[in-house]
Amino acid sequence: MEVNPLSAVVRASKAQIECELVSAIQREVLEHNDVPPSANSARRKPIPGSLKINCDVAIPLGSEKGTAAMVVRNEEGELVDGSTASFPVSSVLQGELEAIRRACYMVEGLKVSSVMIESDSRRAIELSVSELVPPWEVFEVVMDIRKMIQQKNLKMEWVKRFGNKIAHQVAAWASKGQLQPAWISSASASLLSLLYSDVFNSVL
């Protein structure tokens, strides 16, 4: 059986192009899933005398309402303050940024000189601390956050979900109506267990 040299060349070129395309897609997936070294997986203790606010949002599947949780803790991991709020959302990013904005609002009443705000939304933190032009749907909230960062000398940090698990769980409970009204002054056994576990696994 004779092999057509031209057909063989065409098939080989096609196979090479397909191989390069697959490799490019794989690289894109790996880059998309890559976690920058700045992301913390465990809770980092704030410096003595300062506070940390972890925030997150819960949005039930198919819902247009988000519930944010802002959890304030000191260097010992003790619950100092906190708040939850529900509001209309058009996207997860909008909800995450609204949680960050509400965390910024809380700083005024904390009466400390240093506050770190953490979120497990990398995109929300990037928009908050950079000079990138925000998408139109979140433009107003991003500009509010940037203004408060400058006025209040706030610090922002992106953490992995594990490092933000307290705020994540509080938001989920609040979204389902399972969070008791006095959750700060009289924390439930479930919340206390999460707090103790988080302190045990925290790093300097």
Side-chain angles (χ1 to χ4, degrees):
M1 179 177 177
E2 294 185 2
V3 178
N4 187 323
L6 181 59
S7 297
V9 171
V10 171
R11 286 197 299 272
S13 298
K14 184 179 179 181
Q16 182 179 359
I17 292 172
E18 290 176 347
C19 181
E20 291 175 353
L21 179 60
V22 170
S23 297
I25 293 173
Q26 289 176 337
R27 285 196 302 271
E28 184 176 345
V29 170
L30 287 173
E31 289 172 1
H32 178 74
N33 290 330
D34 188 35
V35 177
S38 60
N40 297 320
S41 59
R43 174 183 176 271
R44 287 187 178 275
K45 295 181 179 180
I47 61 175
S50 66
L51 296 174
K52 182 173 289 189
I53 307 177
N54 286 85
C55 52
D56 205 353
V57 66
I59 305 175
L61 187 64
S63 175
E64 295 182 350
K65 184 180 79 170
T67 301
M70 291 65 66
V71 181
V72 186
R73 301 166 72 191
N74 61 20
E75 69 269 21
E76 300 300 328
E78 298 168 332
L79 192 58
V80 174
D81 199 356
S83 177
T84 62
S86 296
F87 42 80
V89 291
S90 58
S91 68
V92 174
L93 177 60
Q94 182 188 15
E96 296 283 7
L97 284 165
E98 183 61 36
I100 292 174
R101 177 162 67 172
R102 289 171 183 265
C104 293
Y105 287 150
M106 292 183 66
V107 173
E108 193 69 34
L110 296 176
K111 307 300 181 184
V112 292
S113 59
S114 178
V115 176
M116 169 73 77
I117 296 176
E118 293 184 341
S119 167
D120 57 27
S121 172
R122 174 168 58 179
R123 180 62 173 157
I125 292 295
E126 286 177 346
L127 286 172
S128 297
V129 302
S130 72
E131 296 183 357
L132 296 172
V133 178
W136 68 268
E137 68 166 351
V138 296
F139 185 86
E140 182 181 350
V141 63
V142 169
M143 299 312 291
D144 279 350
I145 292 170
R146 291 178 183 177
K147 182 178 180 180
M148 285 186 281
I149 288 176
Q150 293 182 344
Q151 291 178 338
K152 304 175 188 293
N153 193 29
L154 303 177
K155 298 179 178 64
M156 299 270 171
E157 188 170 50
W158 170 50
V159 294
K160 296 179 184 178
R161 174 63 58 80
F162 183 79
N164 205 44
K165 62 184 178 182
I166 305 296
H168 175 78
Q169 189 59 64
V170 171
W173 284 332
S175 176
K176 298 174 184 177
Q178 299 174 349
L179 188 68
Q180 63 190 53
W183 64 276
I184 300 169
S185 58
S186 301
S188 66
S190 298
L191 179 54
L192 287 173
S193 177
L194 282 174
L195 290 167
Y196 292 148
S197 172
D198 202 40
V199 170
F200 181 78
N201 291 299
S202 63
V203 295
L204 296 176

